[in-house]
Every structure is written in C-alpha cells, then in structure tokens.
Amino acid sequence: MDNTPTIDARTRILDAVESLVVRRGVTGLTLEAAAREAKVSKGGLLYHFGSKEALLAGVMQRLAGTVAQDYADGVALQPQGPGRAARAQLAWAFGEADCSPGQDQHDRMAAVCLAAFHHDPVLLDPLRAVIEGMKADLIADGIPHGIAMTIQTATDGLFMAHLFGMYRPTEADILALRATLHGLLEQPS
C-alpha cells in the first residue's frame, strides 16, 4: 500500500502554474496548460480558479503566505532584543537560516512575481503587504532608522537583482555585503 500523501488539486494547480511560469513565462500560462500540467480536467481547474488572473492571484497569495511564514520563522530563531527583525531579514536574504529559500524556490518566486506583474501589477499587493509589515518591524526594531532602511534596501536589492537577472553577486560580494550589514547592527545606537 502506498503511504505517500496525496496533494490536493488546488495545490497541484498552483504548483503547475509556478512550473509553467518558470519555464514559459506568463504568455505560456493558459488554463489548458495549467490543467494539463496539474493533471486535472479543465472543469476541475475552473472549479478552483475561474481565470488566468485567478491562477496568478492564487500563486501570489500563496507566495505572500510563504514569505510571511518564512520571515516569522526567521524572527523566532533570533534572540530577543534590538535588531531581532533585522537579523532575521539578513539571515533570510543570505541563506543563513532554515527558513531561507533555496535557489529553486528563489527562482520560482522571481518567476511568479514577474508573471503577476506582467499580467497586472495589482496582483503583487499581497506580497507588498508582507514586505510593508517587514519594513514596519525593522523601523520598530530598536535600531537607528537609517540602519533599518539600509538593511531593507540592501536585501530588497539582492532580491531585485536576482528577480531581473541584472547581476549575480560573487561570493566575495555576498561576504562583503553580509559583513557590512551585520557590522551596522553592532554599532551602538
């Protein structure tokens, strides 16, 4: 008897949408392609998601939930006190924590964000809300405002560089940036 847990249709569909946009971009995402990739009928797909926009909204909502949970997990791993949210954000950005996305997840996140933005920038609103919450945590983190914003901007910049394929930081770049940002946190307030 196979004890492998079954994945519900909604999850299979969202996974399929992510896979499609990674491979083909938003133009390769059709209801038919998503149904075929998820191994569900088109009627089954339409039961869960009535349009291409609904598919993209679904993956963006799931992505926002994942980022929020990863961030909360990262904060929980950090010691109490000033800089806790900043250390969590740095750990996530530099892959220092168990809650940090792997390269495959990072690539999928980038593809989903680009596809959603290409289709309708409003679809990014759930993720925008999570990022705004992270920014608010940094501002209230007991560290100087300028340091909080430097960390926010630097970690966002790393993600954007990856998202748009503008450049790939070298290992030396990452080590230098990580040391500088951690050094900012160690400065007296």
Side-chain angles (χ1 to χ4, degrees):
M1 181 171 168
D2 184 8
N3 290 330
T4 306
T6 58
I7 300 172
D8 68 7
R10 183 176 173 80
T11 300
R12 285 197 327 270
I13 292 166
L14 294 175
D15 289 346
V17 170
E18 285 184 6
S19 293
L20 283 168
V21 297
V22 166
R23 290 193 322 267
R24 299 185 196 160
V26 73
T27 57
L29 175 60
T30 64
L31 296 176
E32 294 79 10
R36 189 172 40 256
E37 182 92 9
K39 296 180 177 42
V40 299
S41 68
K42 187 171 178 186
L45 180 132
L46 290 171
Y47 174 79
H48 295 283
F49 302 98
S51 66
K52 182 176 181 174
E53 184 168 283
L55 288 170
L56 289 168
V59 293
M60 282 308 302
Q61 289 169 349
R62 181 169 79 167
L63 173 61
T66 298
V67 170
Q69 187 60 58
D70 287 351
Y71 173 68
D73 291 347
V75 170
L77 292 172
Q78 300 302 319
Q80 295 283 339
R84 186 177 195 199
R87 287 188 304 276
Q89 198 158 340
L90 291 173
W92 189 83
F94 292 113
E96 297 171 359
D98 291 339
C99 59
S100 181
Q103 188 64 41
D104 181 57
Q105 184 183 2
H106 218 260
D107 291 345
R108 290 170 83 85
M109 289 169 56
V112 166
C113 287
L114 287 173
F117 183 82
H118 176 76
H119 186 75
D120 182 357
V122 170
L123 293 170
L124 292 173
D125 284 352
L127 185 58
R128 285 183 181 113
V130 171
I131 301 300
E132 276 296 320
M134 292 167 68
K135 178 186 172 204
D137 287 352
L138 280 172
I139 298 301
D141 201 20
I143 60 176
H145 188 245
I147 291 174
M149 289 311 304
T150 299
I151 289 169
Q152 178 83 38
T153 303
T155 56
D156 287 349
L158 281 175
F159 181 70
M160 292 301 151
H162 180 81
L163 179 69
F164 293 109
M166 301 306 253
Y167 65 91
R168 294 276 187 215
T170 65
E171 186 174 336
D173 296 337
I174 295 294
L175 290 172
L177 183 58
R178 180 187 297 155
T180 299
L181 294 173
H182 280 287
L184 288 175
L185 284 177
E186 294 169 11
Q187 292 181 6
S189 304

